[in-house]
């Protein structure tokens, strides 16, 4: 059992002859009690500080363990996240590559389809244009043939009409009125000779000039038609 200051202070000694001086012993015991109380108080304070330090040490040890555990968990989590991110990135890259390949394939098929459609359309247009050109060439040749026939028919008709205009029948029709009066009708001949012959002569001259101009026009027209025919 530990000795307390109170035990020292209450301690009593038996008195014997030739023993220690009681007052000196009491004074010394008081000094011992005070020092012992101080030592005990310091010991308590040291024990208290030690307990506090031990508690802190335990707290820091627990904190250290918790931190170590957290670091381990964080490292494990980081590794898992890294692995997951790596796998996810690989999946994303693979998916993107597949999508890109799919888009390229679709684009190539679309381009090939458009190219084939364009070539087919171009062939159709070329075929249609060729057929149309042949049709136009045929129609042009037919038109030229019909034009030649029309030209020949017109030329023949004009020549026939020109021959009719030059026939003697027109001379008889255009002869002066006095020529129809018989010789025994002298009175009538005398009356008409002055006026009708003058008018008829002027009319005949005018008609002859017109006919002459018409002949020239017809001949010129015929010449022009013939020239066109020769050119064709």
């Amino acid at each position: 059992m530990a000795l307390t200051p109170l035990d020292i202070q209450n301690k009593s000694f038996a008195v014997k002859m030739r023993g220690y001086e009681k007052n000196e012993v009491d004074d010394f015991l008081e000094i011992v009690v005070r020092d012992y109380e101080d030592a005990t108080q310091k010991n308590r304070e040291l024990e208290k500080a030690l307990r506090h330090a031990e508690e802190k040490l335990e707290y820091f040890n627990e904190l250290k363990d918790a931190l170590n555990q957290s670091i381990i968990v964080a490292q494990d989590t980081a590794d898992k996240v890294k692995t997951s991110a790596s796998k996810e990135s690989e999946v994303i890259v693979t998916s993107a590559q597949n999508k890109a390949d799919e888009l390229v394939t679709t684009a190539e098929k679309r381009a090939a389809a458009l190219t084939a459609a364009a070539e087919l359309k171009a062939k159709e247009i070329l075929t249609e244009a060729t057929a149309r050109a042949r049709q136009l060439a045929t129609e042009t040749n037919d038109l030229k043939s019909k034009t030649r026939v029309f030209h020949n028919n017109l030329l023949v008709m004009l020549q026939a009409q020109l021959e009719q205009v030059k026939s003697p029948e027109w001379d008889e029709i255009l002869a002066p009125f006095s020529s129809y009066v018989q010789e025994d009708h002298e009175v009538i001949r005398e009356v008409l000779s002055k006026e009708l012959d003058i008018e008829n002569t002027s009319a005949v001259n005018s008609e002859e000039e017109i006919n002459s101009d018409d002949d020239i026009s017809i001949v010129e027209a015929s010449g022009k038609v013939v020239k066109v025919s020769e050119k064709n």
Side-chain angles (χ1 to χ4, degrees), residues 82-210:
K82 183 179 179 180
T83 303
S84 178
S86 178
K87 292 181 180 179
E88 186 176 358
S89 63
E90 291 178 358
V91 172
I92 293 173
V93 171
T94 303
S95 178
Q97 185 65 40
N98 294 334
K99 187 65 176 179
D101 294 339
E102 183 179 355
L103 291 175
V104 170
T105 302
T106 303
E108 290 178 350
K109 291 181 179 179
R110 180 63 177 170
L114 291 175
T115 302
E119 291 178 352
L120 180 61
K121 186 65 177 179
K123 290 180 180 179
E124 291 178 356
I125 294 173
L126 182 60
T127 303
E128 183 178 356
T130 304
R132 182 61 179 168
R134 291 176 180 173
Q135 183 180 359
L136 289 175
T138 303
E139 292 178 354
T140 302
N141 291 330
D142 292 341
L143 182 61
K144 286 185 176 182
S145 299
K146 292 179 181 179
T147 302
R148 292 190 186 95
V149 173
F150 174 76
H151 169 264
N152 293 330
N153 293 335
L154 180 61
L155 181 59
V156 172
M157 182 183 67
L158 292 175
Q159 290 176 350
Q161 290 180 355
L162 183 60
E163 293 296 330
Q164 290 180 359
V165 170
K166 293 181 179 180
S167 65
E169 295 178 354
W170 285 98
D171 294 337
E172 184 179 354
I173 293 172
L174 297 175
F177 180 74
S178 59
S179 62
Y180 295 98
V181 180
Q182 299 180 1
E183 294 180 357
D184 55 352
H185 298 151
E186 294 180 358
V187 177
I188 297 174
R189 292 172 63 86
E190 291 177 357
V191 172
L192 298 176
S193 62
K194 294 180 179 180
E195 296 182 2
L196 292 179
D197 286 345
I198 295 172
E199 293 178 358
N200 289 332
T201 300
S202 299
V204 168
N205 292 332
S206 298
E207 290 179 357
E208 288 178 353
E209 291 177 358
I210 293 173

